[in-house]
Amino acid sequence: MPLFLLPNRLLPLPSSPLITCHASPAALRSSPSSPPPTLPILLDSTTSVPSLSCALQCPHFQSCSGCSHELNLHRPIIVDEADHFFKTLGVSDFDFESCRLWGWRSRAKLAVRGSSMKPLIGLYEEGTHNVVDIPHCKAHHPNINAAVELLRQGITKLNIEPFDEDEGTGELRYVQMALTTYNTSIPASERYKNGKVQVSLVWNSRNENSHNFEKLNALANFLWRNGGPRSDLRFIHSVWANFQTSTNNIIFGNRWRHLLGENGFWEHIGGIDMSLAPSSFGQANTRAFDNLLRKLQKYVPYGASVTDLYAGAGAIGLSLAATRKCRSVKCVEVNKESKLSFEKTVERLPNHVDSSISWHHADASDEPLSWLMGSEVVVVDPPRKGLDASLLDALRNISSLERKAKSSPESSDSKVKDEKRPWVLRSFERFSSNWKQTNS
């Protein structure tokens, strides 16, 4: 029977060391005597812990829907609930990993509304489509807040019209800020605070041939000139454009264009260099995700056959391939945009990796047994809605289903759809091989 590992979506966690908080709610909700600085200081484990450091102390907490916990962040109630749940299943070594309280979020998707003279850049108020401006978000990495402020200045200076959801008019709908700390030219201890931001502007037009494309270019140049490598601040990594005209709630359209800066976006997590295109899913808490991957590796036997479901660009599966010398790693993902990032990451895997590695564009809930059969380890990292019912049922009954399949003259995994044709690459051939599309 395969081993099942279920990484959770990561929550904002506090900085070490753990402490006891004695602050009252009234004290924490009072307005600060002065506004927080544009670039707040990040706390490392070597920094002395300030008072009230187990509380969020964010001026936007009351109205912003981004954070659900304000107090006792060193041990949120949900951690005790999870601990109790796993103990009822006989799991006694449930672990809670602490990290930063402030500045932990390295990825943010923000709506842009309001007017060019007074733009609102932030999240929706809970239960509404009213955007809450969050210039001093305590969860964001400071350089994301700085990039948001620079964008705000550019919108006003260039008279960029924020999107009007009711009318479907305006120019700038959303912005995605993604921070990378990948910089081998500086000491590892300095990389997080010197992270650079990839800015993706979601433009309200079909493509580059729109009448207002010159304004998009002007905004990109403003960001690059004032935050790029030749500026005093140097915190902008690159600028991208996404074109979206849909009336639904989907943030991104299908068309992307690289405008300025570096094309490649890398992060070192779980022992590998990971490529992430702006269209790929990435964990918001990079440091906590790295900690999770390194703990996860300890539960996977050397040489195992691994299936990574809801794999995205393959961060979990490829990390296991590199660190556990897996015989095979099979990544299954429904978002076809993740494939390019997967391919780039495989090309950078260490020389010692000799695994059969494949990526499959497919829905893991469609005939899930065909993905589970033959796997010794199955990793599932589903979206917030959780596991699909068909997959959950297959995981619960895998032992009996395996016995039934083996006794059947036609096994379930022989029924393969066209969508399940993988792109396969053996890492020791990565510098010379061409990708081959083969039937599973």
Side-chain angles (χ1 to χ4, degrees), residues 75 100 116 165 168 172 176 187 211 221 223 236 240 283 317:
R75 186 77 182 183
R100 293 179 182 275
S116 60
E165 202 165 340
L172 185 57
Q176 175 179 263
H211 69 280
N221 281 308
L223 295 171
I236 299 296
W240 289 71
Q283 291 285 356

Side-chain angles (χ1 to χ4, degrees), residues 274 281 308-315 331-333 335 338-339 342 359:
M274 188 74 201
F281 171 81
D308 181 7
L309 302 180
Y310 307 94
C331 297
V332 183
E333 170 57 37
N335 177 15
S338 298
K339 175 175 165 286
F342 171 86
W359 188 91

Side-chain angles (χ1 to χ4, degrees), residues 404-419:
K404 183 178 179 180
K406 289 178 181 178
S407 62
S408 173
E410 182 180 356
S411 63
S412 298
D413 57 350
S414 66
K415 297 171 61 180
V416 180
K417 297 187 175 184
D418 289 341
E419 296 83 20

